[in-house]
Amino acid sequence: MAYVIGVDCGTSGTKTVLFDEKGTVIASMTIEYPMYQPKNGYAEQEPADWANAMINTIKGVLAKSGVAAEEVKGVGISGQMHGLVMLDKDNNVLRRSIIWCDQRTAAEVEEMNRKLGREKLIEITANPALTGWTAAKILWVKNNEPDIYEKCRHILLPKDYLRFILTGEYATEVSDASGMQLLDVPNRCWSREVCDALGIDMSWLGKVYESCEVTGQVTAEMAEKTGLKAGTIVVGGAGDNAAAAVGTGVAVDGKAFTTIGTSGVVFAHTSNISIDPKGRVHTCCAAVPGSWHVMGVTQGAGLSLKWFRDNFCNAEKETAKYMGVDEYYLMDKQAESVPVGANRLLYLPYLMGERTPHLDPDARGVFFGLSAMHTKKEMLRAVMEGVSYSLRDCVEVFREMNINVSDMMACGGGGSSPLWRSMLADLYNCPVKTASSKEGPALGVALLSMVGAGIYSSVPEACAAVVKTDKIQEPNAENVPEYEKYYQLYREIYPALKAQFAKLAALD
């Protein structure tokens, strides 16, 4: 039996999972670490924390499992995207990593638009300039910490720093590099035009690979520290969402997934590159060679339900404790007792502004149609439906871009709710499934390492062999036209309030 390791470098911790070649979890271990916020809107982490967590979790899963080092055929690494790691000529880390959720770079986004133009940036990098992405962070260091910038000789993403620690190679792969805003996404290579315009030295960037290609081998020093065999292959790996796509089998056209976590993501695979000229959705290279993915984001998805729970559902919390069940289970049951349309109550889930399809930080949450007949359970149903309408908005943009979405997986906390899955199935008008494995990104990069090691010949073949479906929710033919009526009204509310949201934001 062959074994592989999937390492997932997240924001709260690094999780390492040892799988056999059938995708069965043999052992798993997570080590957590802090995030630093020296100022409002800043978010940083220590790359050394990621490295120590990776080394110790690899060592831990091998010790727990009793699997011999020579039986481990490959390692894949997934990671939080957009983080900036800067090394000097001696490979010392120059500063803490500025990570994905840091928002300090508004001036640098303006600088990028000034130097390249919004249209040119979308044409080359497939996305508008964004505060959370890596290029703006590099410019921030250049503008605000010139002494550190002077010493920089290598720029890596979080998971690529872990690759460097394991193999000594400066490398990245197309899916994660797409989120740097320095990659020519249609052509899957660094963009000289963008780097030159921004004054970023291209020699600082790692070599670009496809996600399932072998990028290096575990060094003798790291073999001693981790318990792996020296020479074990390390593949390109993938950014967290691209890795989750492979881990849920989204590797061929027509397949997509919806994640309802704090934010919501709708993610679709496509073998033809498609870029939204309005910049409402992100297009990146997929972890499948020669393919891309398109991703829409709802900022306040699971967050909306958590906000409602924390402020209005104390009774459910108390009852759940006595019954020994999850409070969300009781909230689901209450919402289930209300008909489609929540008795003519609609909710806009814009508690944190919005990304897709309205790129508007000033947008805010709204209950529309509230009357004296409505109770908490109608409001609860309206919140869940409003999030579902917002996710349907993402799918509508995909359809405008001629991207087929006919087979949907559901993941994240919200994806475990049968009621939420039924809403999505009815609104997308396609089956919504869950995967048997809950390992998402770690399984995804483990599958990529199986391809790199020659266990499977392609990423779609590996997915077909390993990823299994757990539950399938078919659309309800009666509910589909009912939801459609409410969804079309929902789409009219934001445009009618857009100017008022801006006025509200401008008030003292």
Side-chain angles (χ1 to χ4, degrees):
M1 178 70 80
Y3 299 88
V4 291
I5 282 177
V7 178
D8 182 23
C9 172
T11 312
S12 57
T14 287
K15 179 181 191 178
T16 294
V17 187
L18 177 69
F19 298 92
D20 68 17
E21 64 193 53
K22 293 176 182 165
T24 309
V25 174
I26 306 300
S28 171
M29 186 176 174
T30 302
I31 292 178
E32 296 186 347
Y33 33 70
M35 177 171 83
Y36 301 95
Q37 296 185 278
K39 289 186 186 175
N40 189 25
Y42 283 32
E44 300 182 347
Q45 287 187 317
E46 288 286 1
D49 289 345
W50 305 330
N52 291 332
M54 173 184 68
I55 290 165
N56 289 310
T57 52
I58 292 175
K59 193 174 173 182
V61 296
L62 288 173
K64 264 201 244 183
S65 68
V67 167
E70 54 273 11
E71 290 184 283
V72 178
K73 302 303 179 192
V75 178
I77 311 173
S78 159
Q80 46 169 302
M81 294 177 70
H82 318 302
L84 171 63
V85 182
M86 304 181 95
L87 308 182
D88 68 11
K89 62 180 173 41
D90 301 316
N91 299 318
N92 299 308
V93 174
L94 286 165
R95 65 169 336 280
R96 279 182 185 155
S97 172
I98 305 174
I99 65 167
W100 63 277
C101 49
D102 188 283
Q103 292 296 320
R104 73 183 72 177
T105 61
E108 285 69 32
V109 163
E110 281 179 31
E111 182 184 342
M112 289 171 71
N113 284 327
R114 199 168 59 247
K115 287 180 170 172
L116 274 150
R118 192 172 188 273
E119 288 72 26
K120 179 59 75 176
L121 267 169
I122 291 175
E123 180 192 318
I124 299 172
T125 73
N127 295 281
L130 292 156
T131 50
W133 289 32
T134 322
K137 293 169 182 159
I138 298 168
L139 294 179
W140 186 89
V141 175
K142 189 181 185 182
N143 294 338
N144 295 277
E145 298 174 344
D147 51 329
I148 287 175
Y149 193 80
E150 278 298 304
K151 293 177 193 161
C152 182
R153 291 298 173 271
H154 302 283
I155 287 172
L156 294 169
L157 292 160
K159 74 148 184 10
D160 299 328
Y161 177 67
L162 295 184
R163 178 200 328 283
F164 171 73
I165 294 293
L166 275 185
T167 67
E169 299 289 342
Y170 308 107
T172 188
E173 50 66 54
V174 290
S175 73
D176 213 1
S178 296
M180 290 183 77
Q181 217 136 34
L182 299 174
L183 194 79
D184 177 340
V185 170
N187 294 304
R188 306 171 91 86
C189 61
W190 297 123
S191 167
R192 181 159 295 284
E193 185 174 354
V194 174
C195 291
D196 286 353
L198 301 180
I200 294 168
D201 188 335
M202 265 178 76
S203 71
W204 296 358
L205 305 174
K207 185 179 174 185
V208 183
Y209 289 85
E210 289 294 334
S211 305
C212 55
E213 283 186 300
V214 176
T215 59
Q217 298 175 338
V218 174
T219 61
E221 182 195 346
M222 275 299 124
E224 204 169 308
K225 288 187 177 179
T226 60
L228 288 166
K229 184 168 175 266
T232 303
I233 65 155
V234 179
V235 296
D240 49 11
N241 276 301
V246 175
T248 49
V250 178
V252 293
D253 287 359
K255 286 189 177 275
F257 73 76
T258 297
T259 302
I260 304 177
T262 303
S263 62
V265 169
V266 187
F267 179 113
H269 179 96
T270 176
S271 52
N272 299 310
I273 185 162
S274 189
I275 298 171
D276 176 30
K278 297 178 188 168
R280 293 167 297 177
V281 296
H282 305 312
T283 297
C284 296
C285 299
V288 182
S291 304
W292 289 263
H293 64 248
V294 180
M295 193 171 95
V297 180
T298 291
Q299 299 273 69
L303 177 72
S304 286
L305 196 62
K306 182 182 184 294
W307 164 81
F308 195 85
R309 181 201 69 177
D310 292 349
N311 288 288
F312 308 110
C313 292
N314 278 333
E316 287 76 11
K317 284 184 185 178
E318 290 304 314
T319 308
K321 264 187 226 163
Y322 289 123
M323 290 175 66
V325 296
D326 191 293
E327 55 235 42
Y328 285 115
Y329 169 79
L330 294 183
M331 289 159 67
D332 256 26
K333 288 291 166 204
Q334 285 212 50
E336 233 171 64
S337 68
V338 178
V340 171
N343 290 322
R344 286 192 275 191
L345 180 62
L346 289 125
Y347 169 75
L348 272 59
Y350 306 148
L351 300 182
M352 304 291 289
E354 192 49 306
R355 289 259 291 278
T356 305
H358 316 298
L359 199 57
D360 185 355
D362 297 333
R364 288 295 175 264
V366 173
F367 278 104
F368 177 80
L370 196 60
S371 85
M373 70 161 286
H374 290 130
T375 65
K376 181 164 72 176
K377 63 186 183 182
E378 273 94 7
M379 295 176 82
L380 192 47
R381 173 120 195 169
V383 166
M384 294 178 78
E385 288 184 347
V387 170
S388 304
Y389 297 143
S390 177
L391 294 164
R392 164 73 183 273
D393 271 347
C394 298
V395 172
E396 285 302 305
V397 177
F398 295 175
R399 287 172 177 162
E400 264 182 56
M401 296 165 70
N402 295 317
I403 292 168
N404 168 24
V405 176
S406 52
D407 185 336
M408 182 69 72
M409 300 294 287
C411 342
S416 62
S417 157
L419 178 59
W420 232 336
R421 290 200 305 273
S422 75
M423 289 177 180
L424 295 177
D426 294 343
L427 273 158
Y428 297 161
N429 201 9
C430 77
V432 172
K433 308 170 184 177
T434 56
S436 301
S437 171
K438 301 291 177 249
E439 295 300 343
L443 176 58
V445 290
L447 289 170
L448 295 173
S449 73
M450 290 186 206
V451 178
I455 296 167
Y456 295 103
S457 64
S458 71
V459 180
E461 185 194 303
C463 290
V466 172
V467 180
K468 301 286 180 270
T469 299
D470 181 20
K471 298 180 181 74
I472 303 178
Q473 177 70 51
E474 295 288 347
N476 178 324
E478 286 175 24
N479 290 349
V480 171
E482 274 301 295
Y483 273 120
E484 199 60 27
K485 288 191 302 199
Y486 286 100
Y487 172 63
Q488 293 306 332
L489 177 57
Y490 167 90
R491 293 185 80 181
E492 293 175 27
I493 301 170
Y494 169 81
L497 292 177
K498 185 180 179 189
Q500 283 70 33
F501 285 139
K503 281 183 186 172
L504 183 66
L507 293 177
D508 288 339

